[in-house]
Amino acid sequence: MKIAHAEFVISAAQAAQFPKDRLPQIALCGRSNVGKSSLLNTLLRRKNLARTSNTPGKTRQLNFYLIKPEGHVIKPFYFVDLPGYGYAQVSQAERESWRGLIENYFKQSSCLAGALSIIDIRHGAVASDMELLHWLISLQMPTTLVATKADKLSNKNRAEKFRQINAGIATLPLQSTLMFSAEDGSGFQELWKQISAMLHTFKKPEIS
Ligand code: GTP
Ligand code: MG
């Protein structure tokens, strides 16, 4: 996939700010600090389009990035970088407000073509990841599970970890699972293939 244009559009703290142009959207979900923004930068071959940080809980809004692929096969779409969940250092009230915002987004967004559920390959899918996966499946959302930070493990260990992760989610009807690394580019082609498939099969709902 070659990208002709990628731009940050809006950081939305409430539903009224979500774009209304009805372009398809691909959501990036995962625990705080798992590597969502880094994955986005790697996919777009941009260093700092999405802000990354060593401080967990950095992304507090939904950040929309408009992507225009080269050619006419894939039409323009949005990547939506969601705030990370599962970060202990924030207040209960703040956590509830994030949760409300994200749930609102999934329920309201009729243009969601799919979700990337991003986990750390070293930790696998923990309880909060499983909760999200079950929820995405209940919404019949095409979902690809991405085990990132693969560079942190040796080739042998990453294969074994990936096997364990797959065994743990074998009963879930996911679109696919794959390994990724923002550091060494592992999984780059495969992830674009899955995103293209989501965008190809997505049918825009009629305006009622
Ligand atoms: P929040 O927005 O706070 O939820 O975090 P995030 O999920 O967007 O994570 P972010 O991309 O900011 O990355 C968090 C940290 O992990 C940064 O220090 C990144 O450099 C590092 N990181 C992300 N992806 C990878 C990877 O594939 N390999 C390695 N080695 N480090 C990574
Ligand atoms: Mg982020």
Side-chain angles (χ1 to χ4, degrees), residues 23 25 83 128 163 179 182:
L23 294 178
Q25 301 180 1
S128 52
R163 193 194 61 72
M179 280 190 266

Side-chain angles (χ1 to χ4, degrees), residues 180-193:
F180 190 85
S181 163
E183 198 68 24
D184 68 16
S186 303
F188 180 91
Q189 299 289 357
E190 178 59 20
L191 183 50
W192 268 123
K193 209 170 105 192

Side-chain angles (χ1 to χ4, degrees), residues 19-155:
K20 295 180 182 62
D21 52 15
R22 304 185 76 244
L23 294 178
Q25 301 180 1
I26 302 282
L28 285 84
C29 331
R31 280 154 60 81
S32 191
N33 217 37
V34 74
K36 299 175 290 298
S37 302
S38 303
L39 176 142
L40 197 50
N41 285 331
T42 302
L43 277 181
L44 298 171
R45 299 184 196 275
R46 294 278 292 267
K47 264 207 153 63
N48 284 313
L49 187 65
R51 276 217 278 150
T52 64
S53 127
N54 287 319
T55 322
K58 185 92 179 168
T59 313
R60 294 184 175 219
Q61 284 94 13
L62 288 84
N63 289 319
F64 288 80
Y65 298 88
L66 177 61
I67 313 303
K68 296 181 180 167
E70 259 182 34
H72 300 287
V73 181
I74 305 245
K75 301 273 185 284
F77 68 96
Y78 287 102
F79 276 127
V80 188
D81 193 2
L82 300 187
Y85 50 84
Y87 181 50
Q89 304 306 99
V90 299
S91 70
Q92 183 68 21
E94 200 166 0
R95 227 176 301 164
E96 289 299 316
S97 112
W98 291 3
R99 193 186 177 101
L101 183 63
I102 295 175
E103 287 193 357
N104 236 340
Y105 168 69
F106 276 104
K107 284 184 188 143
Q108 287 189 14
S109 186
S110 57
C111 290
L112 251 178
L116 308 179
S117 165
I118 301 158
I119 62 172
D120 187 319
I121 193 165
R122 297 167 298 174
H123 307 140
V126 301
S128 52
D129 299 316
M130 292 305 286
E131 191 189 341
L132 176 86
L133 285 171
H134 281 288
W135 191 56
L136 291 171
I137 287 162
S138 76
L139 297 172
Q140 296 183 317
M141 187 63 56
T143 300
T144 281
L145 183 69
V146 183
T148 194
K149 304 196 183 180
D151 61 281
K152 298 260 194 190
L153 298 175
S154 67
N155 282 345

